[in-house]
């Protein structure tokens, strides 16, 4: 099997300054109007970061600028250009990969919208963000009645990172099984999306085409690979431009108890080089940070439309946030 592999530097994400607008009236609405599962009220992302986290943000930004000033300047310019035209819907935005996707979008000044079962998690993870940057809606993809069309108005791109554990665990509480999340949830979400969406990026798993073969059949004892494949097939047949990223065994994190500034400083350690394959033949591990970056890059790389990739990360330097190097990686992926 031929795969794409490239080793430029994975640069740290540079946090943008936290928003300063204090929307007290909106916060009061949370208490005056209890949220329901079908509420269409956009929720402000509250919980100001405080002095300590502001100092962390400044330190992280200073370090990133010192290490790679030229790249930071280029990335900043690209991010500012995209911010006015793109609205990215992130589903599963407080999970292990999703939270890194959101943090990276915020660092690029790309407007984002989250669909969350528990909007309060956005406050603890991402701090206070102005509505012009981050919007939060309460919704559960397992319940199609939650997905009102108004939630998707203006959305140009979608990244879906939902998932649950392969084997019974506490995360299965409340009917959070692979069938409900990876099949029902994906089917409901895709059915609700407008056909005007420019790209849907779905995070899936390696091994989904081999769930009846050992060792994948062990992982699939409770159907996780089968249901992920069913979700993939539904996306492929939806008519919406898509890219599917099949991740290897996830490493680095999850950082689900951390705030935005900690997320922005996270690195992939020594495993920063990226290997991309096709045909479900790739086996190995991948950093959650690499998966998150792959999702964001795939939104704008035309050659990834209608494609399914497997992704791993190995020791070495990686492509960082350089779109040209990511495009080369995706283009060089082969299924043979």
């Amino acid at each position: 099997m031929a795969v794409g592999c490239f080793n430029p530097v994975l640069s740290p994400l540079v946090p943008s300054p936290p928003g300063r607008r204090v929307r007290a009236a909106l916060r009061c609405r949370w208490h005056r109007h209890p949220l329901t599962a079908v509420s269409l009220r956009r929720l402000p992302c509250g919980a100001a970061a405080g002095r300590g986290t502001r100092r962390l943000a400044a330190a992280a930004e200073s370090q990133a600028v010192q290490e790679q000033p030229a790249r930071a300047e280029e990335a900043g310019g690209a991010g500012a250009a995209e911010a006015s035209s793109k609205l990215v819907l992130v589903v599963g935005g407080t999970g292990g990969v999703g939270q890194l996707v959101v943090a990276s979008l915020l660092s690029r000044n790309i407007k984002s919208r989250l669909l969350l079962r528990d909007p309060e998690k956005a406050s603890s993870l991402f701090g206070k963000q102005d509505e012009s940057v981050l919007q939060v809606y309460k919704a559960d993809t397992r319940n199609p009645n939650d997905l009102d069309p108004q939630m998707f108005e203006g959305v140009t791109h979608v990244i879906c990172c939902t998932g649950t554990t392969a084997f019974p665990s506490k995360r299965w509480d409340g009917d959070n099984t692979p069938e409900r999340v990876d099949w029902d949830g994906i089917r409901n979400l895709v059915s609700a999306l407008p056909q005007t969406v420019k790209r849907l990026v779905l995070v899936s798993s390696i091994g989904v085409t081999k769930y009846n073969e050992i060792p994948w059949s062990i992982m699939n004892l409770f159907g996780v690979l089968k249901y992920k494949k069913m979700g993939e097939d539904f996306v492929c047949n939806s008519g919406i431009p898509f890219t599917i990223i099949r991740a290897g065994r996830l490493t680095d994190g999850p950082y689900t108890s951390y705030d935005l500034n900690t997320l922005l400083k996270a690195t992939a350690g020594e495993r920063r080089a990226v290997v991309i394959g096709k045909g479900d033949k790739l086996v190995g591990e991948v950093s959650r940070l690499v998966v998150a970056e792959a999702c964001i890059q795939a939104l704008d790389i035309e050659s990834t439309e209608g494609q399914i990739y497997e992704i791993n990360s190995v020791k070495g330097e990686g492509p960082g946030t350089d779109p040209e190097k990511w495009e080369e990686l995706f283009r060089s992926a082969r299924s043979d």
Side-chain angles (χ1 to χ4, degrees):
M1 172 188 64
V3 295
C5 185
F6 206 94
N7 295 341
V9 176
L10 177 65
S11 59
L13 298 174
V14 182
S16 55
R20 295 183 178 179
R21 299 183 186 178
V22 180
R23 298 180 178 270
L26 287 172
R27 288 201 299 271
C28 291
R29 274 191 223 166
W30 288 29
H31 302 288
R32 292 203 301 266
H33 303 286
L35 294 170
T36 64
V38 294
S39 173
L40 294 179
R41 185 176 297 112
R42 188 165 63 245
L43 304 174
C45 191
R51 294 182 180 176
T53 52
R54 285 195 293 271
R55 285 196 295 269
L56 284 173
E61 183 172 5
S62 175
Q63 178 182 0
V65 171
Q66 290 175 7
E67 290 179 353
Q68 295 179 321
R71 178 168 297 171
E73 183 178 350
E74 293 172 11
E82 292 293 336
S84 61
S85 61
K86 189 181 296 181
L87 172 55
V88 181
L89 177 72
V90 183
V91 188
T94 58
V97 172
Q99 61 181 332
L100 295 167
V101 168
V102 176
S104 187
L105 290 171
L106 291 174
S107 76
R108 289 164 155 94
N109 294 319
I110 296 176
K111 186 175 181 180
S112 306
R113 181 178 296 170
L114 309 185
L115 295 188
L116 299 176
R117 300 177 196 171
D118 181 8
E120 293 292 340
K121 287 185 178 180
S123 301
S124 60
L125 279 172
F126 310 121
K128 178 176 176 57
Q129 302 292 334
D130 192 270
E131 285 185 12
S132 63
V133 176
L134 181 65
Q135 303 166 358
V136 181
Y137 283 88
K138 181 178 176 66
D140 185 340
T141 58
R142 299 172 302 175
N143 181 6
N145 293 327
D146 276 15
L147 303 175
D148 191 283
Q150 293 183 44
M151 291 182 173
F152 307 105
E153 288 184 356
V155 169
T156 58
H157 300 76
V158 180
I159 299 177
C160 181
C161 316
T162 54
T164 188
T165 56
F167 299 96
S169 67
K170 187 172 180 58
R171 286 184 61 187
W172 281 28
D173 292 352
D175 202 22
N176 203 46
T177 63
E179 180 177 9
R180 296 287 286 128
V181 174
D182 295 314
W183 170 230
D184 292 341
I186 296 301
R187 184 180 71 246
N188 294 336
L189 171 66
V190 175
S191 297
L193 291 177
Q195 291 291 312
T196 54
V197 167
K198 296 179 179 179
R199 186 69 62 87
L200 163 60
V201 177
L202 173 69
V203 178
S204 186
S205 171
I206 61 173
V208 294
T209 66
K210 302 178 287 188
Y211 60 79
N212 285 324
E213 305 172 16
I214 293 178
W216 306 105
S217 57
I218 298 174
M219 175 70 71
N220 192 55
L221 282 174
F222 294 89
V224 65
L225 296 179
K226 178 183 76 173
Y227 293 122
K228 283 185 179 294
K229 182 61 169 63
M230 290 169 64
E232 283 188 13
D233 291 343
F234 196 84
V235 167
C236 293
N237 294 320
S238 67
I240 296 174
F242 70 89
T243 305
I244 295 174
I245 304 293
R246 292 173 175 165
R249 189 179 74 85
L250 294 168
T251 64
D252 292 324
Y255 304 98
T256 48
S257 61
Y258 292 81
D259 61 13
L260 175 60
N261 296 305
T262 306
L263 294 175
L264 290 169
K265 294 196 299 179
T267 68
E270 296 181 347
R271 304 176 65 87
R272 294 173 295 187
V274 176
V275 180
I276 296 180
K278 299 177 73 174
D280 205 7
K281 297 177 182 178
L282 200 61
V283 177
E285 300 178 337
V286 62
S287 167
R288 287 178 171 86
L289 288 106
V290 169
V291 176
E293 185 63 30
C295 290
I296 294 173
Q297 293 290 340
L299 294 177
D300 296 316
I301 298 177
E302 291 184 6
S303 62
T304 66
E305 181 178 332
Q307 301 298 312
I308 302 175
Y309 301 96
E310 292 79 49
I311 187 167
N312 282 352
S313 54
V314 295
K315 288 185 178 180
E317 299 301 330
T321 60
D322 190 319
E324 292 183 359
K325 291 165 184 175
W326 275 100
E327 183 170 8
E328 182 177 344
L329 275 168
F330 282 121
R331 285 187 182 276
S332 63
R334 296 289 186 271
S335 57
D336 48 31

